[in-house]
Amino acid sequence: MTLYLVSGFIFIATFAAILLGKVNRTIVAMAGAGVMVAVGMGMGFYSQEAALASIDFNTLGLLLGMMILVSMLARTGFFEYLAILTAKKSKGSPWVLFLLLGTITAVLSMFLDNVTTIVLIAPVTVLIAEILGISPLPLLIGEALLSDTGGVATLIGDPPNIMIGSAAGLSFMDFIVNLAPIVLVAWVVALVLLRFLFREYLSQTPGNVEALMKLDERAALHDTATLTRTLIVLGVTILLFFVHNLLHLQPGFVALLGAAAALLWVQPADIEEVLKHVEWPVLMFFAALFVTVGGIEASGLLNLLADGVTALATQDLLLTGVALIWGGAMISAIVDNIPFTIVMIPVIQDLGLSTGLNVTPLWWALALGAGFGGNGTIIGSTANVITVAISEKTSTPITSRIWMKTGLPVMLATLLVATILFVLGFNFLQ
Amino acid sequence: MTDNLKIGAWMKRDIVAVHASMSVKEAAALLVDRRVGTLPVLDEDGVLIGVTTITDITHIFLPDFISLLADIDFVKDFGALKTPSKENLERAETLTVADIMEEPMAEEEDCSLVRALSVMEKHNLADLLVVRDRQLVGIASRVDIGRAFLTTWLKAEA
């Protein structure tokens, strides 16, 4: 009992400090992990070996490999090129611009890191809106929401999916087959809803279309040799993801193999620069959370939680899934979907082991809840946080009020779609 | 080190300075009329409390996206932003020097020319402010310091 209380207290304190946000979340998580291991060793429920074993290196490897590939691609100006090319296709129509920029951001973030995609596309979006003389705000919000939503469709689209896939042994194709159809419907619903919410803005007729058409996307590209090689390697890597299960390759290995191949082929002169753009704080945050959650798992506290869910799950698995979608979304919107996902993974695993139930639908429910929940608030996803930070450097910053009127309805609508399709397709999702 | 190799010997003693309460628009007029690039900001007692430059003030009129993008070579036509936006112009009207001034970088009169030039290089300054007991006593531009260097160099040759 004391073990539950002590480990639970360390975890809750870490979680609360992340929620408060006074200290950087990576620092909080590392401190929490350190305290958990030290106290766990002292009280005999956790060890250094167990702490290391609790880190999901497949998840970290996948993230690291993709971050290296994206870092190499980012330096070639490819994202700016793509954004300009896409924007020019709109011929200045705000609605088409909204649709195309939202789509390109969403498609990129289905396969690449959301953060990098937003960091590179959002500034070009501000540029395009400003030379057209329209507000960049709806475009930025649309990009963040649509890319968060799109990311739920694939194994590598967002970090919760990577973790779920890795822990549950679900393949890239499993995600495509089970989640992509739901996400596609949710995505269209989100788009229609945003069209309605931004109706006034999207019916403007901007001037200066000729200035947009004069943007020279080719001038945005710096190093076409690196671009070609990185794109080829990235393409092959993504193809490998589609068949990784057939080849018995872990996704983390596929990503690291891709990164190694791209580095070998391109041989960047400044490898330090390439690696500097890897989001090390994110990787450290994840690793530290794995260790912290490993502590409450080792103390038996998570078993207790799993036992609590068992009663509901054995009685009604469908209802458990729906509860997971909505509960997960609420927690993800308010805090962060990563800690929630890392806690729920061993709980669902335990549930499957102790009851012999097929818990696969619960994995999809977790992915849908954690993924769509991120749309609800400014801090719900990293893409949102970055979009808001970029908008704060413009004359029209995105406020919580604005997000409440756009992000929150989109979250509720996508969750509703997810719930309906989850219930209807429950037998298929097994 | 002779006085010739110190900044005190080469600085200008005729200084154009402002108070923090002055509007940015008045400061801009002063920059234009007096043909200077740097405005030291003094309090009532003549103590140096800040600095602003023509670069800082013109920054107000730059489009938002300039600070966001690493590269803008692909923007051939600034469209709606060919002239400063209405928002930026309106904002400029309301600002005072206190809103935009920065921490001043200053040296004493006996600062060597090499140090003066190095400080300007590292902090990317167009003018270096010179103080005595925190009171502003002079200002030296890159050209002033460059001329000082070249003069001493040419004299040594002769």
Side-chain angles (χ1 to χ4, degrees):
Chain A
M1 188 65 198
T2 326
L3 297 188
Y4 295 161
L5 283 177
V6 171
S7 64
F9 175 78
I10 298 170
F11 174 75
I12 300 273
T14 310
F15 206 79
I18 291 170
L19 177 61
L20 279 176
K22 287 254 186 257
V23 181
N24 177 286
R25 63 177 193 165
T26 303
I27 299 175
V28 170
M30 287 183 72
V35 172
M36 186 68 91
V37 177
V39 172
M41 283 165 64
M43 295 180 68
F45 69 82
Y46 207 21
S47 67
Q48 297 169 72
E49 293 75 21
L52 261 185
S54 68
I55 300 175
D56 181 353
F57 286 102
N58 185 36
T59 291
L60 296 183
L62 177 48
L63 287 165
L64 176 61
M66 294 310 285
M67 283 173 182
I68 293 173
L69 282 171
V70 168
S71 165
M72 292 175 70
L73 195 58
R75 291 147 41 91
T76 64
F78 177 69
F79 290 87
E80 288 87 348
Y81 171 85
L82 222 49
I84 296 168
L85 199 66
T86 314
K88 282 167 84 170
K89 298 264 181 266
S90 76
K91 307 221 161 38
S93 150
W95 161 238
V96 182
L97 189 63
F98 181 86
L99 179 68
L100 292 180
L101 281 178
T103 307
I104 194 79
T105 317
V107 171
L108 285 172
S109 38
M110 280 169 71
F111 299 100
L112 305 174
D113 173 38
N114 278 16
V115 173
T116 314
T117 310
I118 290 282
V119 162
L120 295 168
I121 301 265
V124 185
T125 305
V126 174
L127 159 95
I128 289 163
E130 288 191 348
I131 57 178
L132 283 172
I134 57 179
S135 163
L137 195 132
L139 296 174
L140 291 177
I141 294 180
E143 283 170 6
L145 293 175
L146 294 171
S147 77
D148 282 342
T149 309
V152 183
T154 66
L155 170 75
I156 55 173
D158 66 14
N161 284 10
I162 298 177
M163 292 171 183
I164 292 167
S166 173
L170 295 164
S171 73
F172 190 84
M173 280 313 286
D174 288 335
F175 274 83
I176 297 268
V177 170
N178 290 285
L179 285 188
I182 300 181
V183 171
L184 185 67
V185 178
W187 199 83
V188 172
V189 168
L191 198 59
V192 172
L193 182 60
L194 286 167
R195 169 88 173 103
F196 171 74
L197 292 169
F198 288 127
R199 59 193 176 280
E200 276 170 36
Y201 163 83
L202 293 172
S203 52
Q204 286 179 66
T205 342
N208 305 294
V209 176
E210 67 288 352
L212 169 68
M213 301 315 284
K214 273 192 216 158
L215 285 176
D216 180 5
E217 66 275 7
R218 295 208 61 86
L221 294 178
H222 304 304
D223 182 349
T224 41
T226 302
L227 173 64
T228 318
R229 291 173 184 190
T230 314
L231 276 182
I232 291 173
V233 174
L234 188 64
V236 174
T237 308
I238 290 174
L239 283 180
L240 271 180
F241 279 127
F242 277 92
V243 292
H244 77 92
N245 216 26
L246 300 173
L247 300 175
H248 304 289
L249 297 178
Q250 293 279 336
F253 175 65
V254 170
L256 286 171
L257 198 63
L263 285 172
L264 184 66
W265 197 9
V266 172
Q267 297 202 13
D270 44 354
I271 178 80
E272 285 86 2
E273 267 306 304
V274 172
L275 293 182
K276 209 183 273 175
H277 287 97
V278 168
E279 293 154 52
W280 297 109
V282 172
L283 298 179
M284 294 302 297
F285 176 63
F286 290 178
L289 276 180
F290 281 128
V291 171
T292 313
V293 174
I296 50 172
E297 198 184 355
S299 76
L301 183 64
L302 282 188
N303 276 326
L304 211 63
L305 197 62
D307 291 345
V309 187
T310 307
L312 179 65
T314 43
Q315 211 170 38
D316 195 337
L317 197 63
L318 179 65
L319 188 66
T320 314
V322 173
L324 196 55
I325 293 178
W326 286 86
M330 296 308 147
I331 295 177
S332 302
I334 298 166
V335 199
D336 191 318
N337 52 18
I338 303 304
F340 175 72
T341 308
I342 296 181
V343 170
M344 284 317 290
I345 283 173
V347 171
I348 296 178
Q349 272 173 335
D350 256 22
L351 184 69
L353 285 176
S354 64
T355 61
L357 281 172
N358 175 9
V359 290
T360 313
L362 297 186
W363 294 123
W364 303 131
L366 178 61
L368 290 167
F372 292 160
N375 277 336
T377 58
I378 282 178
I379 55 159
S381 82
T382 323
N384 300 358
V385 174
I386 290 171
T387 308
V388 170
I390 289 174
S391 83
E392 277 165 358
K393 291 185 186 162
T394 73
S395 51
T396 50
I398 299 171
T399 60
S400 299
R401 246 177 85 90
I402 297 174
W403 203 279
M404 287 269 277
K405 287 191 205 152
T406 52
L408 196 59
V410 166
M411 176 185 95
L412 295 174
T414 50
L415 284 176
L416 203 60
V417 170
T419 310
I420 293 170
L421 294 178
F422 182 79
V423 173
L424 290 178
F426 187 67
N427 291 322
F428 175 75
L429 291 169
Q430 304 284 328
Chain B
M1 191 164 68
T2 64
D3 279 350
N4 264 349
L5 297 173
K6 291 176 182 170
I7 194 170
W10 298 91
M11 69 189 188
K12 293 185 281 272
R13 289 170 195 279
D14 173 27
I15 305 164
V16 185
V18 295
H19 286 298
S21 59
M22 186 184 252
S23 77
V24 165
K25 203 167 189 183
E26 287 171 297
L30 209 53
L31 284 168
V32 173
D33 293 342
R34 303 290 298 269
R35 293 174 169 270
V36 290
T38 301
L39 286 177
V41 185
L42 307 179
D43 70 4
E44 275 68 32
D45 306 320
V47 171
L48 180 67
I49 54 166
V51 66
T52 190
T53 64
I54 196 161
T55 318
D56 293 341
I57 295 178
T58 46
H59 255 286
I60 305 171
F61 302 102
L62 278 184
D64 296 332
F65 66 80
I66 300 296
S67 64
L68 296 173
L69 285 164
D71 171 16
I72 55 144
D73 294 350
F74 50 83
V75 193
K76 308 292 179 197
D77 181 342
F78 274 51
L81 300 171
K82 274 194 202 97
T83 52
S85 71
K86 217 175 83 205
E87 291 84 26
N88 282 345
L89 288 170
E90 277 166 12
R91 198 165 74 86
E93 292 279 342
T94 62
L95 291 173
T96 64
V97 169
D99 296 324
I100 61 163
M101 71 182 190
E102 289 176 3
E103 277 290 304
M105 191 69 213
E107 291 296 330
E108 302 272 330
E109 286 162 282
D110 62 356
C111 170
S112 73
L113 290 177
V114 174
R115 174 168 162 82
L117 194 61
S118 310
V119 167
M120 294 175 90
E121 181 75 27
K122 280 293 171 203
H123 294 269
N124 202 13
L125 304 173
D127 295 283
L128 187 61
L129 305 175
V130 185
V131 290
R132 187 190 306 144
D133 300 330
R134 295 170 62 223
Q135 299 273 330
L136 189 66
V137 292
I139 185 166
S141 69
R142 286 228 186 186
V143 175
D144 292 332
I145 306 224
R147 191 179 290 129
F149 257 97
L150 297 191
T151 309
T152 42
W153 173 48
L154 293 171
K155 270 189 189 150
E157 292 265 302

